[in-house]
Amino acid sequence: GAGVSQSPRYKVAKRGQDVALRCDPISGHVSLFWYQQALGQGPEFLTYFQNEAQLDKSGLPSDRFFAERPEGSVSTLKIQRTQQEDSAVYLCASSLGRTVDSNQPQHFGDGTRLSIL
Amino acid sequence: GENVEQHPSTLSVQEGDSAVIKCTYSDSASNYFPWYKQELGKRPQLIIDIRSNVGEKKDQRIAVTLNKTAKHFSLHITETQPEDSAVYFCAASKMGFQKLVFGTGTRLLVSP
């Protein structure tokens, strides 16, 4: 596709439910990132993949958060036993990132707005 | 870890005026500094970026300057237009650590 695609655009869940958010990066982009953006704030890093390898998960707030990218393309961010503080916009970004040492421009998707009731 | 501070938090200008947004960073190893524009409910859109081996970069009405010694960088928008109204975020990252650390954002309002 032309850009990073995320689904669903909106997700409402009850506290305690599990949710799964999908990200389809730009074709050919090796690096994939997940960020969390609270209302009125800047995006905050969650995790980073180089192909299928998860190289940095230092931003995941708890072990309820899990991300995967099994074939090095589409990625899924899963949140288990959701809590109200998980409500936020979850943004996915991708970059060419052909080497770990290269900081390539990151291109964002429209995000998934998650609301936990 | 890296910390990025951004100011002002809000900026109101008249159409045609210039706007300047400033950011400071804490980690001297940071070497890549992008700027994003985010309209309400939309994705952050990369508008310009600069690497630490240059001091200034310009793209039409937008320019970014970098002072590595002082560890700050600025976004300059000239001849502002109402469609420039949005929230602007600066960010920083360092080689080998791909993650972007974002500032807190500046809400720019351009009045006709």
Side-chain angles (χ1 to χ4, degrees):
Chain A
V4 178
S5 179
Q6 291 187 246
S7 61
R9 287 282 283 123
Y10 304 92
K11 176 69 179 178
V12 179
K14 292 182 179 180
R15 188 176 56 183
Q17 290 183 330
D18 299 348
V19 298
L21 313 179
R22 176 189 169 105
C23 173
D24 209 329
I26 294 172
S27 179
H29 278 197
V30 171
S31 296
L32 185 145
F33 307 80
W34 284 99
Y35 293 85
Q36 180 189 61
Q37 186 174 27
L39 190 63
Q41 298 183 23
E44 291 195 358
F45 171 80
L46 294 176
T47 188
Y48 154 58
F49 290 86
Q50 180 89 352
N51 296 302
E52 69 279 1
Q54 189 174 21
L55 299 187
D56 186 351
K57 54 181 181 179
S58 62
L60 295 177
S62 76
D63 58 7
R64 297 185 297 103
F65 287 71
F66 172 77
E68 59 182 5
R69 193 186 185 196
E71 298 180 357
S73 179
V74 172
S75 176
T76 303
L77 176 67
K78 298 179 179 178
I79 309 173
Q80 298 177 322
R81 305 180 302 281
T82 53
Q83 301 177 4
Q84 282 194 320
E85 59 261 33
D86 299 336
S87 296
V89 175
Y90 290 85
L91 294 165
C92 177
S94 70
S95 73
L96 279 171
R98 296 201 182 281
T99 65
V100 174
D101 289 339
S102 171
N103 296 77
Q104 296 294 322
Q106 295 183 23
H107 301 276
F108 284 81
D110 286 328
T112 294
R113 183 175 297 276
L114 176 65
S115 298
I116 305 299
L117 305 178
Chain B
E2 174 68 279
N3 182 51
V4 177
E5 295 187 356
Q6 181 173 349
H7 57 94
S9 57
T10 58
L11 179 59
S12 294
V13 300
Q14 291 292 121
E15 183 177 0
D17 288 349
S18 295
V20 180
I21 302 171
K22 299 181 179 181
C23 289
T24 60
Y25 59 99
S26 61
D27 192 337
S28 56
S30 289
N31 65 343
Y32 175 65
F33 308 93
W35 285 88
Y36 286 85
K37 174 184 179 182
Q38 188 174 31
E39 298 177 54
L40 190 63
K42 296 192 175 180
R43 67 182 70 189
Q45 181 183 8
L46 179 68
I47 56 172
I48 196 167
D49 58 7
I50 191 168
R51 299 181 187 277
S52 59
N53 58 347
V54 299
E56 183 174 358
K57 184 176 179 180
K58 192 172 182 179
D59 183 4
Q60 298 183 342
R61 296 186 297 109
I62 294 173
V64 56
T65 58
L66 171 65
N67 183 326
K68 287 189 294 182
T69 302
K71 290 189 286 187
H72 67 69
F73 56 112
S74 299
L75 177 71
H76 305 254
I77 307 174
T78 59
E79 301 172 24
T80 53
Q81 302 168 2
E83 51 265 39
D84 294 330
S85 297
V87 178
Y88 291 80
F89 291 99
C90 62
S93 71
K94 57 185 179 182
M95 189 176 294
F97 296 85
Q98 299 283 323
K99 69 179 184 182
L100 293 174
V101 177
F102 283 84
T104 49
T106 296
R107 183 173 300 278
L108 174 64
L109 176 61
V110 181
S111 302

